[in-house]
């Protein structure tokens, strides 16, 4: 979709009391000798409340002491995992499942097609180009040649309008910091251009192909670049063939350290659109610059952070946007830059009962993607808002793509479901017919599995949906090992998607469940806001409600129920396991935000205050401290088997969150269940992780759960 979402960041979660259930507190084998973690006398005063922070020293990831602690913890974790015989069988099966072709959605620029392909076990996907769909694709950029261990990933790519040049970004070891270069598409050779300190940036070429706009920060200190807070993003123009020092500053706001900027150039080349963001809230300001005049100024089109505005396309001075202004589930409006007052806006497509997720202007029509109860549907409208058709989809799943230009009569999209490997389709916009462009073959039989959607009631009476995926003929006797996954934040929707990891889990006899919690974007901005700041507890209540439904309806039982989630979902898991430890047999919080009182002091953490609030606000502090996972671990409690995961190069959610939480949980644990931390090396928040590293991490996850939940079937996967 060409509809843009400027927020690229991440977040957190939590939950309060509920009826107690039988505690899962049986000893789990021999007692583990955890590394001794020293405590320091660190106390902070928050609005008259003193809070101890005895593991503050672990925030310094560069200290020799912290590195020794990391090594010691990893040795304990690997020794524990190494004693699980099923882990190797699982790893072998995962490797076989992962060995299938994966494609991105093609797009066309300058008379060429571009898309990525992974042959199966390549560390990174490779970028290809071709002039016609019948051509043999040619390798344009292979990131696997950039680092021997596959830890340098392609972080972004933008082709010049004439199809001659490729601007591309790379990320090393999973860091959010990107470096950008320019490649001649015909020769495959890089030019001298080299841009650094780029982060959270779009790339927009000018129509003449002479240069592009991008966003960057000032150069950080080398020693602390993975932890220092990121403020004062600036928008620059880079002219191809010149050094970065000669780049032109296009727009910045020295008076607004939290503002970020995303650039887009209209297809006619006349306008530069600048979307200004503040934190992760989907509320933007929009500015524009007339590129046909060298002396033109940046002009405000929408000058308040009060709603989202996602640019679609333009008719000269008339700009089409998808917005939730006066429409929580979004609508499409036309704004004339010559008459920008809201009273002059024209509604093109009104708000629907479904949530509008994206829109493109193709074939002189609006191609729109909606979510109906977290399932994709695609509708086509004319430019007056009249419905033309609905695009038929293969089943319950998720779509993405629909890129292209206004006159294009073809486009491409992907379709995926929990048991449908991502397939790429070519859509003929003249007749609405879809044909398969690329379809992978995976070593499994999808007819053996089923997906159903279940609505349940949360603590305050809200109806919440979840997807339940399993082998057909599931026995409802409470014996099924179940992995409940959630996120619940930052307006992000969890929709059906295929994963070899989850398939392996189901082959082990497991049930995979995804809960569509408040805080996400499944039902528009009201659903999102209902899971933020002082209402964040709703997210945790929704997650706990899903667990209670699964237990009450005998899908599983507490001793067979594991919970997982990453980033903001890691916070969710940390909050759920500290609020209701007796409800779960295992917990896997991945790269989570665990210290809700200090998250805003590192890298881009300050931006999450739009969802979480801040401990610097007295009322928000009271809410945060009630669910902050780190601060709600209680000595002498019986916590479920837990494996915390993080990575040494995570500069999104710095690893100190996981370090401090794991240390505190080990000290608090009274039961026999293990509390481990798995710390990956040369890896970050998750993006760009090499395939082999992903497989190893998943094998460790399912291996850990096979022991924690006493799964009897994992040995069978080796015979698959």
């Amino acid at each position: 979709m060409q509809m843009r979402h400027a927020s690229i960041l991440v977040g957190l979660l939590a939950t309060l009391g509920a009826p107690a259930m039988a505690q899962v507190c049986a000893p789990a084998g021999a007692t583990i000798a955890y590394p001794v973690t020293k405590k320091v006398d660190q106390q902070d005063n928050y609005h008259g409340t003193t809070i101890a922070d005895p593991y503050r020293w672990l925030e310094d990831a560069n200290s020799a002491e912290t590195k020794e602690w990391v090594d010691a913890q990893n040795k304990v974790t690997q020794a524990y995992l190494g004693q699980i015989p099923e882990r190797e069988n699982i790893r072998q099966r995962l490797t076989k499942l992962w060995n299938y072709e994966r494609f991105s959605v093609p797009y066309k620029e300058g008379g060429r097609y571009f898309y990525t392909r992974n042959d199966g076990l390549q560390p990174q996907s490779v970028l290809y180009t071709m002039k016609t769909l019948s051509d043999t694709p040619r390798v344009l950029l292979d990131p696997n040649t950039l680092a021997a261990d596959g830890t340098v990933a392609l972080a972004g790519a933008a082709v010049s309008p004439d199809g001659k040049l490729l601007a591309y970004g790379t990320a090393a070891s999973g860091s959010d910091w990107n470096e950008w270069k320019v490649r001649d598409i015909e020769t495959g050779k890089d030019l001298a251009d080299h841009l650094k300190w780029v982060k959270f940036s779009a790339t927009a070429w000018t129509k003449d192909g002479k240069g592009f706009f991008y966003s960057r920060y000032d150069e950080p200190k080398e020693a602390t670049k993975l932890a220092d807070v990121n403020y004062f993003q600036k928008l620059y123009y880079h002219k191809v063939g010149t050094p970065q020092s000669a780049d032109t500053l296009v727009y910045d706001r020295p008076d607004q350290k939290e503002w970020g900027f995303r650039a887009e150039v209209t297809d006619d080349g006349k306008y530069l659109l600048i979307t200004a963001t503040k934190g992760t809230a989907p509320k933007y300001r929009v500015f524009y610059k007339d590129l046909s005049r060298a002396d033109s100024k940046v002009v405000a089109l929408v000058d308040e952070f009060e709603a989202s505005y996602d640019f679609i396309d333009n008719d000269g001075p008339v700009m089409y946007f998808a917005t939730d202004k006066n429409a929580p589930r979004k609508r499409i409006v036309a704004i004339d830059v010559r008459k920008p007052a809201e009273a002059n806006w024209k509604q093109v497509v009104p708000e629907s009962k479904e949530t509008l997720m994206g829109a493109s202007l193709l074939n002189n029509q609006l191609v729109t993607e909606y979510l109906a109860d977290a399932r994709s549907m695609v509708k086509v409208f004319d430019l007056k808002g009249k419905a033309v058709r609905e695009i038929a989809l293969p089943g319950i799943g998720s779509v993405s793509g629909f890129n292209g230009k206004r006159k294009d009569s073809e486009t491409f999209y992907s379709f995926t479901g929990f048991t449908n490997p991502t397939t790429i389709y070519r859509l003929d916009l003249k007749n609405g017919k879809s044909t398969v462009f690329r379809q992978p073959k995976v070593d499994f039989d999808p007819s053996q599995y089923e997906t159903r959607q279940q609505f349940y009631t949360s603590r305050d009476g809200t109806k919440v949906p979840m997807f339940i995926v399993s082998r057909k003929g599931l026995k409802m006797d409470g014996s099924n090992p179940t992995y409940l996954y959630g996120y619940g934040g930052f307006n992000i929707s969890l929709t059906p998607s295929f994963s070899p990891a989850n398939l392996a889990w189901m082959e082990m006899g497991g049930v995979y469940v995804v809960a569509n919690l408040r805080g996400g974007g499944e039902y528009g901005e009201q659903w999102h806001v209902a899971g933020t700041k002082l209402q964040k507890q709703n997210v945790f209540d929704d997650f706990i409600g899903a667990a209670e439904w699964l237990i009450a309806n005998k899908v599983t039982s507490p001793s067979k129920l594991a919970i997982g989630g990453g980033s903001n979902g890691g916070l969710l898991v940390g909050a759920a396991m500290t609020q209701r430890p007796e409800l779960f047999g295992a917990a896997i919080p991945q790269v989570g935000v665990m210290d809700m009182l200090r998250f805003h002091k590192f890298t881009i953490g300050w931006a999450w205050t739009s969802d979480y609030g801040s401990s610097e606000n007295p009322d928000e502090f009271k809410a945060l401290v009630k669910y902050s996972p780190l601060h709600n671990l209680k000595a002498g409690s019986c916590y479920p088997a837990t494996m915390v995961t993080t990575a040494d190069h995570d500069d999104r959610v710095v690893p100190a969150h996981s370090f401090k939480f794991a240390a505190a949980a080990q000290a608090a644990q009274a039961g026999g269940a293990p509390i481990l931390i798995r710390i990956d090396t040369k890896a970050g928040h998750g993006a760009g992780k090499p395939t082999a590293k992903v497989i190893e991490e998943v094998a460790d996850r399912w291996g850990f759960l096979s022991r924690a939940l006493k799964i009897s079937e994992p040995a069978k996967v080796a015979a698959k």
Side-chain angles (χ1 to χ4, degrees):
M1 284 289 172
Q2 287 180 309
M3 174 170 158
R4 312 299 188 193
H5 297 279
S7 17
I8 341 173
L9 314 175
V10 280
L12 305 143
L13 285 110
T15 169
L16 292 170
M21 300 182 64
Q23 190 112 350
V24 181
C25 201
T31 302
I32 297 175
Y34 298 113
V36 175
T37 307
K38 76 169 185 179
K39 296 183 178 181
V40 297
D41 184 19
Q42 174 66 48
Q43 297 188 349
D44 301 296
N45 188 301
Y46 293 92
H47 315 288
T49 300
T50 300
I51 303 290
D53 192 4
Y55 303 112
R56 176 75 59 82
W57 62 275
L58 285 170
E59 291 181 356
D60 184 0
N62 293 317
S63 76
E65 200 170 22
T66 299
K67 291 177 180 178
E68 289 176 6
W69 182 88
V70 167
D71 289 342
Q73 291 285 351
N74 267 340
K75 286 179 182 177
V76 169
T77 298
Q78 290 306 317
Y80 182 91
L81 295 172
Q83 295 173 4
I84 300 173
E86 297 86 358
R87 183 175 67 151
E88 178 56 24
N89 292 338
I90 294 169
R91 189 192 65 78
Q92 290 180 19
R93 179 57 179 154
L94 283 167
T95 302
K96 193 172 183 180
L97 284 171
W98 233 287
N99 193 12
Y100 72 98
E101 287 185 302
R102 298 183 293 282
F103 305 91
S104 70
V105 177
Y107 60 94
K108 194 174 185 180
E109 193 69 70
R112 293 176 181 266
Y113 293 94
F114 301 86
Y115 70 96
T116 64
R117 172 185 175 270
N118 191 303
D119 67 11
L121 297 177
Q122 287 176 292
Q124 305 291 341
S125 294
V126 179
L127 180 62
Y128 290 85
T129 185
M130 54 190 179
K131 289 188 175 180
T132 70
L133 296 182
S134 60
D135 286 350
T136 300
R138 173 170 65 88
V139 173
L140 177 57
L141 178 63
D142 184 356
N144 300 295
T145 65
L146 303 179
D149 59 2
T151 57
V152 172
L154 183 63
V159 178
S160 62
D162 58 10
K164 293 182 178 180
L165 296 175
L166 170 76
Y168 70 94
T170 59
S173 301
S175 172
D176 280 334
W177 287 114
N178 297 165
E179 296 187 21
W180 281 75
K181 296 183 179 182
V182 178
R183 177 161 293 193
D184 183 298
I185 292 175
E186 192 61 43
T187 66
K189 303 292 186 182
D190 281 346
L191 307 183
D193 305 71
H194 188 184
L195 311 181
K196 301 180 70 176
W197 312 121
V198 182
K199 182 185 278 196
F200 310 132
S201 174
T203 305
W205 284 90
T206 50
K207 189 72 173 178
D208 59 13
K210 292 183 178 179
F212 53 85
F213 300 94
Y214 73 100
S215 304
R216 60 160 291 191
Y217 291 93
D218 291 337
E219 183 176 349
K221 297 176 182 177
E222 181 62 28
T224 55
K225 66 182 181 181
L226 297 181
D228 285 348
V229 70
N230 303 136
Y231 285 131
F232 297 111
Q233 193 180 51
K234 299 176 175 68
L235 180 65
Y236 284 90
Y237 172 73
H238 173 73
K239 184 178 180 180
V240 174
T242 64
Q244 186 174 20
S245 59
D247 289 353
T248 303
L249 177 63
V250 177
Y251 194 66
D252 71 339
R253 289 297 293 263
D255 60 326
Q256 301 290 346
K257 66 180 182 180
E258 296 181 346
W259 286 22
F261 306 104
R262 181 185 180 92
E264 297 172 81
V265 174
T266 56
D267 281 343
D268 60 14
K270 184 172 183 182
Y271 295 101
L272 167 68
L273 270 290
I274 304 171
T275 299
T277 64
K278 185 179 181 181
T280 55
K283 300 180 185 299
Y284 316 139
R285 299 185 187 217
V286 181
F287 303 88
Y288 70 92
K289 177 180 171 65
D290 186 344
L291 296 178
S292 66
R293 296 191 299 112
D295 61 346
S296 66
K297 303 295 184 183
V298 172
V299 179
L301 183 62
V302 177
D303 207 11
E304 295 289 340
F305 287 119
E306 59 180 2
S308 68
Y309 296 91
D310 297 300
F311 177 67
I312 301 170
D313 212 323
N314 71 304
D315 261 329
V318 178
M319 309 286 178
Y320 293 98
F321 290 91
T323 180
D324 59 11
K325 180 68 182 293
N326 301 323
R329 297 192 187 189
K330 292 192 177 180
R331 58 185 177 135
I332 296 176
V333 300
I335 304 176
D336 191 326
V337 299
R338 298 165 300 186
K339 299 179 293 181
E342 187 176 349
N344 299 320
W345 295 4
K346 293 183 179 180
Q347 180 168 276
V348 181
V349 179
E351 182 182 23
S352 165
K353 64 179 181 179
E354 296 88 20
T355 304
L356 177 63
M357 302 302 292
S360 301
L361 186 50
L362 301 164
N363 195 41
N364 286 308
Q365 296 172 323
L366 289 163
V367 181
T368 62
E369 178 202 340
Y370 286 89
L371 276 190
D373 294 328
R375 299 187 271 182
S376 288
M377 59 190 304
V378 180
K379 300 178 182 181
V380 180
F381 299 89
D382 66 21
L383 291 180
K384 293 183 179 179
K386 181 181 177 181
V388 175
R389 64 170 61 92
E390 183 174 334
I391 303 299
L393 299 176
I396 295 176
S398 309
V399 298
S400 66
F402 304 99
N403 300 306
K405 301 185 185 304
R406 180 172 184 154
K407 294 182 180 180
D408 290 348
S409 60
E410 72 167 1
T411 189
F412 298 84
Y413 67 93
S414 66
F415 177 85
T416 183
F418 291 114
T419 57
N420 297 87
T422 303
T423 299
I424 310 300
Y425 291 87
R426 178 186 179 273
L427 174 63
D428 186 330
L429 291 160
K430 292 179 179 178
N431 58 25
K433 302 294 184 183
S434 297
T435 53
V436 173
F437 174 67
R438 295 286 188 271
Q439 186 169 28
K441 295 180 180 179
V442 184
D443 182 34
F444 88 112
D445 180 3
S447 68
Q448 300 299 308
Y449 300 87
E450 63 182 354
T451 299
R452 63 188 179 101
Q453 190 173 42
Q454 175 68 49
F455 285 80
Y456 64 92
T457 303
S458 189
R459 187 178 182 182
D460 64 356
T462 300
K463 294 292 184 183
V464 181
M466 62 180 167
F467 293 103
I468 302 174
V469 195
S470 68
R471 288 174 174 168
K472 289 181 177 177
L474 186 69
K475 292 181 179 180
M476 308 292 271
D477 59 3
S479 67
N480 303 296
T482 300
Y483 188 68
L484 172 60
Y485 181 85
Y487 188 80
F490 299 96
N491 202 40
I492 292 172
S493 303
L494 293 188
T495 60
S497 62
F498 181 78
S499 165
N502 297 334
L503 183 60
W505 172 251
M506 290 186 287
E507 286 186 344
M508 291 166 57
V511 179
Y512 180 67
V513 182
V514 174
N516 297 109
L517 316 171
R518 279 174 286 185
E522 289 87 347
Y523 295 102
E525 184 59 4
Q526 289 179 343
W527 189 256
H528 167 225
V529 170
T532 62
K533 293 189 175 181
L534 301 185
Q535 301 182 91
K536 189 67 177 173
Q537 184 61 38
N538 288 335
V539 182
F540 314 130
D541 289 343
D542 290 355
F543 198 55
I544 287 172
E548 291 176 332
W549 189 95
L550 293 167
I551 293 166
N553 289 273
K554 297 190 176 182
V555 174
T556 191
S557 56
S559 65
K560 293 289 186 178
L561 178 57
I563 51 175
S567 192
N568 178 69
L571 161 64
L572 172 68
V573 173
M577 66 175 277
T578 52
Q579 291 182 20
R580 295 294 303 278
E582 81 289 347
L583 200 59
F584 313 110
I588 301 186
Q590 300 168 268
V591 292
V593 189
M594 301 304 203
D595 184 344
M596 297 307 297
L597 304 186
R598 288 177 58 78
F599 69 85
H600 59 295
K601 295 182 178 293
F602 304 98
T603 63
I604 202 66
W606 60 265
W608 311 332
T609 59
S610 56
D611 244 52
Y612 302 144
S614 169
S615 60
E616 295 177 16
N617 176 296
D619 292 333
E620 292 169 352
F621 161 73
K622 292 177 183 177
L624 289 165
V625 77
K626 283 182 180 179
Y627 72 75
S628 175
L630 176 64
H631 300 95
N632 282 278
L633 290 162
K634 295 178 175 61
S637 297
C638 179
Y639 293 109
T642 301
M643 185 168 71
V644 181
T645 69
T646 187
D648 62 352
H649 276 66
D650 191 342
D651 50 2
R652 184 84 59 86
V653 179
V654 294
H657 284 279
S658 295
F659 293 174
K660 292 164 68 174
F661 181 77
Q666 288 174 351
Q669 176 70 307
I675 305 288
L676 305 176
I677 180 168
R678 183 186 188 280
I679 306 159
D680 210 345
T681 57
K682 296 194 75 176
H685 198 59
K689 185 175 290 189
T691 301
K693 276 184 174 286
V694 175
I695 291 173
E696 291 294 337
E697 182 178 349
V698 176
D700 287 352
R701 184 194 314 157
W702 296 156
F704 179 79
L705 293 185
S706 73
R707 172 165 289 191
L709 304 185
K710 297 181 174 61
I711 299 175
S712 60
E713 294 197 43
K716 296 181 182 180
V717 300
K720 294 287 182 180

